[in-house]
Amino acid sequence: MVPSCAALLLVLRSCGKMKDVDKAFKVWKDYAELPEVRLDEKMHYTLIEACISAGDRERAASVLAMMKEKVIIPSSRCYDALIGAYATSASAEAAFQTFLMMQQEGVKPTASTFASLIEACSDPKDPSAFERAMGVLPLMEAQQVEPNEAILNSLITLCLAHSRGNALSQVEAFIDKYQMKLGTLTYDSLIQAIAKDNDAQQACRLLERMVVENKLVPDGMTFNQVLKACMDAGEVKESLRVLDLMQQAGQTPGTISFTIVINACVKKGDLESAWGVLRKMRQYKVRPDEVTFLSLTNVCVEARELAKAFEVVEMMKKEGLRPNLATFNCLLKGCLRKVDLERGMTVLKMMKDEKVPADKLAFDYFMTIVGRTRHWEKAFDGVEWMEQAGMEVTSYAYETLHRMALKERDEDKALDLLDRMKKFNAAHPAVVYKK
């Protein structure tokens, strides 16, 4: 009894799943010798699939050669399967050679064919791969094959792999040209890719099209990627628009999203918009965290509204959050910009109350304020405060004060500093004062 063709197909598929290509070819050879069995195009395609499942692209290609010998014309699916296999390993040369064979045989390529060709060009180490992939687009138009989402996703992946963000505009042009209706995943991929390329305005425009025109709901990562692009570009207006789009899509912005928008305000020193974002957070009952308040403090400092910056810290405390070193350094930076020594001393007292140890940056800010106001005695007060608070006073701090004492010709203070350095086991300065 001769097994049916259906049985042969099942055996070949099983061999592919078990990645046993040798067994698949043995079964194939045994059946080929039987006159009752007709090994048609479908049979050959199944054998190609078995080889590809086993990762043996070379033997899959040999099946196409077998078909040519038997004058069996492979269908597009045979070529697509092999080109797709080459695409997964970024074997562009082999993929395009197979495509050339396909054309020579007069087999019409499909959208899947072109998607796989583009995917095969994703190797970032191949300098010619990107141009070769973009050359697929005219070939596709010549064959009158309209791009589908698979092609668009391959193009997006290609642009990211080769860091060619500017080419994404060509992808968008294809969408417009063919009036394609994209799905959520494709929109998400395209918008995130454009946002990563720091084109905030284009990303916002596509996001609006996705939400308003197509009534699709982007994922949270898409919104935050666009917000980050707006933040990097200092696009306050666009970032506020993204918050509106989140609400239209039925998503309530979280603390991270609101904080990113406030950070966009930092770049512009836009205090009014930053306070507006804080009001929105209150409206949606989203609780600000330490990072949110730090961003707000930064906005105040950039806007040179030092009093407001101190207000933010007080608000932070009322929320049950403790200001950290970054917050205090931000305040000191504001004091430096306003050359406000009195408030600088206030920051030091606040740090003492909160038991937050100063670092080199805090000391640099404070000492620069002292230098600009020429109230040198305050510098020594600052170091004494650090000592009394049990904070580590670095050799850098002592060296700076020691140089000041020498410059002011204050012998007693210079010698006192040397004694302190010994007491706190700090290294002696390079220049030692000699009485």
Side-chain angles (χ1 to χ4, degrees):
M1 180 178 178
V2 179
S4 65
C5 292
L8 174 57
L9 291 173
L10 285 173
V11 171
L12 291 175
R13 286 169 185 155
S14 297
C15 292
K17 288 179 181 178
M18 294 186 294
K19 303 186 184 306
D20 193 343
V21 179
D22 290 335
K23 186 175 181 180
F25 271 85
K26 184 179 182 304
V27 171
W28 180 271
K29 184 179 178 182
D30 292 342
Y31 269 71
E33 293 175 353
L34 298 174
E36 299 91 341
V37 176
R38 181 172 173 267
L39 298 175
D40 57 10
E41 189 271 345
K42 185 177 182 180
M43 294 285 192
H44 285 81
Y45 170 68
T46 307
L47 183 57
I48 290 171
E49 276 195 319
C51 295
I52 291 171
S53 296
D56 195 336
R57 292 182 293 275
E58 187 176 341
R59 293 181 86 171
S62 73
V63 177
L64 283 178
M66 287 167 49
M67 295 176 77
K68 190 172 182 180
E69 289 174 6
K70 297 176 182 178
V71 198
I72 298 174
I73 299 175
S75 65
S76 59
R77 64 179 177 175
C78 294
Y79 286 106
D80 285 350
L82 188 54
I83 292 171
Y86 288 131
T88 56
S89 60
S91 302
E93 191 62 39
F96 276 84
Q97 284 181 358
T98 306
F99 177 69
L100 182 61
M101 288 170 53
M102 186 179 192
Q103 288 184 306
Q104 289 172 346
E105 290 290 336
V107 179
K108 184 175 176 58
T110 65
S112 296
T113 312
F114 292 111
S116 295
L117 282 175
I118 294 168
E119 186 183 346
C121 301
S122 60
D123 185 1
K125 296 178 182 177
D126 184 352
S128 63
F130 183 82
E131 283 71 22
R132 175 178 249 175
M134 297 310 287
V136 171
L137 302 181
L139 291 174
M140 185 176 65
E141 288 188 311
Q143 292 287 336
Q144 297 182 331
V145 175
E146 293 190 1
N148 58 13
E149 287 201 53
I151 290 174
L152 288 173
N153 283 322
S154 295
L155 281 171
I156 294 164
T157 303
L158 175 79
C159 293
L160 290 175
H162 291 273
S163 301
R164 300 290 187 91
N166 58 336
L168 289 165
S169 58
Q170 296 183 43
V171 179
E172 193 179 357
F174 266 88
I175 296 171
D176 292 336
K177 181 175 181 178
Y178 290 98
Q179 297 181 336
M180 297 183 67
K181 189 175 179 61
L182 305 184
T184 303
L185 290 177
T186 303
Y187 258 124
D188 279 336
S189 298
L190 182 58
I191 292 169
Q192 287 180 37
I194 291 172
K196 284 179 182 177
D197 193 47
N198 291 323
D199 192 339
Q201 292 189 354
Q202 186 181 9
C204 286
R205 184 163 45 78
L206 271 176
L207 186 66
E208 186 160 2
R209 180 192 291 187
M210 179 181 184
V211 174
V212 178
E213 294 180 19
N214 294 289
K215 309 298 181 186
L216 297 173
V217 179
D219 64 21
M221 184 181 293
T222 300
F223 281 117
N224 282 339
Q225 283 282 1
V226 178
L227 284 173
K228 187 179 180 301
C230 293
M231 178 190 73
D232 292 339
E235 293 282 359
V236 176
K237 184 179 177 181
E238 297 290 354
S239 64
L240 291 170
R241 177 61 180 145
V242 174
L243 290 182
D244 291 339
L245 289 171
M246 288 183 80
Q247 292 160 29
Q248 285 186 47
Q251 295 191 24
T252 301
T255 304
I256 293 175
S257 299
F258 280 115
T259 302
I260 294 173
V261 178
I262 293 172
N263 279 326
C265 299
V266 172
K267 286 207 168 188
K268 295 291 186 181
D270 190 343
L271 185 55
E272 184 180 347
S273 294
W275 282 109
V277 175
L278 183 63
R279 284 193 295 272
K280 275 197 173 186
M281 292 183 78
R282 306 290 192 200
Q283 180 185 344
Y284 286 98
K285 297 180 180 179
V286 177
R287 188 170 182 260
D289 60 12
E290 292 90 341
V291 180
T292 309
F293 282 113
L294 175 59
S295 298
L296 275 169
T297 308
N298 260 317
V299 177
C300 297
V301 168
E302 291 300 320
R304 297 183 178 275
E305 292 285 351
L306 191 54
K308 285 282 187 183
F310 278 83
E311 283 181 28
V312 170
V313 176
E314 290 306 312
M315 287 170 55
M316 185 178 186
K317 292 178 181 178
K318 288 178 182 177
E319 290 279 348
L321 300 171
R322 286 188 62 208
N324 55 23
L325 180 60
T327 306
F328 289 123
N329 278 341
C330 185
L331 287 176
L332 284 170
K333 181 173 72 172
C335 295
L336 173 58
R337 289 188 173 182
K338 300 283 283 189
V339 196
D340 192 331
L341 180 58
E342 185 179 346
R343 278 205 168 104
M345 293 296 293
T346 300
V347 175
L348 294 186
K349 185 179 182 304
M350 291 167 68
M351 293 176 76
K352 181 180 179 181
D353 294 341
E354 295 290 338
K355 297 180 181 178
V356 175
D359 63 356
K360 182 179 179 296
L361 181 59
F363 186 77
D364 283 349
Y365 281 143
F366 181 72
M367 294 303 291
T368 306
I369 298 168
V370 169
R372 290 186 182 178
T373 58
R374 302 194 67 78
H375 285 284
W376 303 112
E377 73 283 355
K378 296 296 184 182
F380 297 105
D381 291 344
V383 170
E384 285 176 0
W385 163 76
M386 291 172 72
E387 291 174 344
Q388 290 168 6
M391 297 180 185
E392 181 183 355
V393 184
T394 64
S395 60
Y396 172 82
Y398 282 121
E399 288 172 16
T400 303
L401 288 177
H402 187 262
R403 284 193 294 270
M404 285 183 178
L406 291 175
K407 188 175 181 181
E408 295 294 311
R409 298 185 178 278
D410 189 335
E411 300 175 1
D412 293 335
K413 187 65 73 174
L415 288 172
D416 176 56
L417 284 164
L418 288 176
D419 290 338
R420 290 190 189 193
M421 291 174 73
K422 291 175 183 177
K423 182 180 177 181
F424 285 89
N425 298 317
H428 281 280
V431 178
V432 179
Y433 179 79
K434 292 182 180 178
K435 192 172 180 180

